[in-house]
Amino acid sequence: YTDHHRGFTIVPPTGWDARSSYGDIDGMVCERLSESGESLGDSILVQVTPGAQKLRMPAIHAAQTAKWLKEGRHDFEMISCTKELIGGLKAIRLEYTQSGLGEDDAPVHIVQVLIPRDTVTYTIHCTMFAEDFEDCKDAVERAVNSFRTIPLVEPTPYTNGDHGFSIIPPIDWDIEEGQPDAVVTFLSPPDRPGNSYAETLGVTIVPGKGLPTPEMHAESVRAAFGPGRNLKLVSVNKAIVNEMKATRIEVEYDTDGLRLMAIQYVVTHDERLLCLNFVSEIGVTDSVRQTVVDAVNSLQVAPRPKPPASPNKVRILGRVNEAGDYVDVRNDFAVTPPEGWLV
């Protein structure tokens, strides 16, 4: 599993499902699956946070973790806290058991590895139910030791000079242009687990000078959907998009046997309304909601380029010269009308 934008690679255990994660866990989620594809609860998370956290003595890290667990009123047992080298980088590895997680407060076995890098810190969280630990521990250790950092790749903004805006799309989402109902559409990776309807973030532009009120926004959305879609208005309110005034509406509706949700942000730009439209199947949006919000807040606008001024001769559609000829400069012809005829 390779993430060029967050700068790491890791080899997940065989049969475990790895995917990008956003929001509270910004990085990767890897879960052990049953034969039917259901999560068994054992997981490996790679969390990427800004700033290189300073490594302290293992005893200090162990004490800080113990304090946090006590504050959460968890029963726990600290097994070890040691210095490690992971992928050539200095790291701290903690291992402990904890109760109070999952159904019936089932005890879990946790391995946590802290790896600082120049501008970020990687934290590998390995959580296994105690009853699964013996079956998982070797595979999890191999995955942890396979972790490597790679050069970071900065996200590339999408810029549309004709319409005067730019936006940083979500990481690894595809870009589609030329759609009849959108200037551009960003699509989530098609292999995201559990998706029967891929998430999309589209940009549309419609005429309009003033920002609609929340009430006007809600009414226009109801009219656009029409009857028969089981439309439910979740919320509508004023919002801010990258320091620009906006309105935001969230709805749920039915289409082709699916229950979908849509969130639309509207801002004014150059005597038009610029609309950002996020659509997703209900129930699979938590992991991507934050990254879509980040993309929306990366929106920047600029005046559209004005068309070049036409030269004077193009505006001369026709005139009669001193000789009485009719001259059409634009279409490059001249004709002598019959004497006395009106031109």
Side-chain angles (χ1 to χ4, degrees), residues 11-19 29-40 42-44 136 139 142-143 193:
V11 181
T14 303
W16 290 42
D17 172 65
R19 62 188 185 277
V29 173
C30 181
E31 296 180 297
R32 188 165 73 101
L33 302 181
S34 66
E35 293 183 359
S36 62
E38 297 180 356
S39 174
L40 295 174
D42 307 308
S43 65
I44 300 173
C136 295
R142 285 193 295 270

Side-chain angles (χ1 to χ4, degrees), residues 13 16 32 42-44 79 93 95 109-111 126-145:
W16 290 42
R32 188 165 73 101
D42 307 308
S43 65
I44 300 173
I79 298 174
R93 181 186 186 278
E95 184 174 349
H109 199 108
I110 295 175
V111 174
C126 307
T127 304
M128 298 153 281
F129 286 108
E131 61 185 19
D132 300 333
F133 178 64
E134 290 300 323
D135 294 334
C136 295
K137 66 177 183 179
D138 291 340
V140 167
E141 284 297 327
R142 285 193 295 270
V144 170
N145 289 320

Side-chain angles (χ1 to χ4, degrees), residues 320-338:
V320 179
N321 63 14
E322 294 178 358
D325 297 330
Y326 175 81
V327 180
D328 189 323
V329 178
R330 180 176 182 181
N331 295 302
D332 195 26
F333 75 89
V335 64
T336 302

Side-chain angles (χ1 to χ4, degrees), residues 71-92:
E71 290 175 350
R73 297 184 178 180
H74 297 296
D75 293 330
F76 71 95
E77 179 184 352
M78 186 66 65
I79 298 174
S80 65
C81 184
T82 57
K83 293 181 178 181
E84 302 278 343
L85 274 180
I86 303 293
L89 296 176
K90 293 180 180 179
I92 289 290

Side-chain angles (χ1 to χ4, degrees), residues 5 37 84 142 158 162 191 306:
H5 298 287
E84 302 278 343
R142 285 193 295 270
Y158 169 85
D162 293 337
D191 57 351
K306 295 182 179 180

Side-chain angles (χ1 to χ4, degrees), residues 157-324:
Y158 169 85
T159 301
N160 190 304
D162 293 337
H163 291 287
F165 73 89
S166 68
I167 187 172
I168 300 175
I171 295 172
D172 297 332
W173 286 32
D174 295 331
I175 300 175
E176 284 192 2
E177 295 181 298
Q179 300 284 337
D181 56 348
V183 175
V184 63
T185 301
F186 307 108
L187 298 92
S188 68
D191 57 351
R192 188 185 300 281
N195 273 24
S196 53
Y197 188 97
E199 298 94 346
T200 62
L201 176 63
V203 181
T204 58
I205 296 175
V206 297
K209 293 184 179 181
L211 188 68
T213 64
E215 293 76 16
M216 294 169 58
H217 195 172
E219 188 58 35
S220 66
V221 168
R222 290 191 185 99
F225 275 90
R229 306 288 291 277
N230 193 17
L231 182 69
K232 175 185 176 182
L233 177 62
V234 178
S235 63
V236 58
N237 51 270
K238 296 180 180 179
I240 297 294
V241 172
N242 198 11
E243 300 183 354
M244 294 179 287
K245 292 181 179 180
T247 58
R248 177 191 183 277
I249 190 169
E250 181 174 345
V251 298
E252 298 176 2
Y253 62 98
D254 295 333
T255 185
D256 298 330
L258 296 174
R259 187 67 175 167
L260 302 182
M261 62 155 286
I263 299 175
Q264 184 183 68
Y265 295 83
V266 175
V267 300
T268 58
H269 171 46
D270 211 1
E271 298 187 347
R272 301 172 305 163
L273 298 179
L274 193 151
C275 308
L276 302 165
N277 312 298
F278 171 52
V279 180
S280 170
E281 188 176 1
I282 289 179
V284 294
T285 59
D286 289 346
S287 64
V288 297
R289 185 183 289 258
Q290 184 59 49
T291 196
V292 170
V293 170
D294 292 343
V296 167
N297 283 315
S298 74
L299 177 71
Q300 294 186 353
V301 298
R304 288 182 295 164
K306 295 182 179 180
S310 302
N312 287 337
K313 70 175 184 178
V314 174
R315 294 200 295 269
I316 302 174
L317 299 182
R319 63 184 179 84
V320 179
N321 63 14
E322 294 178 358

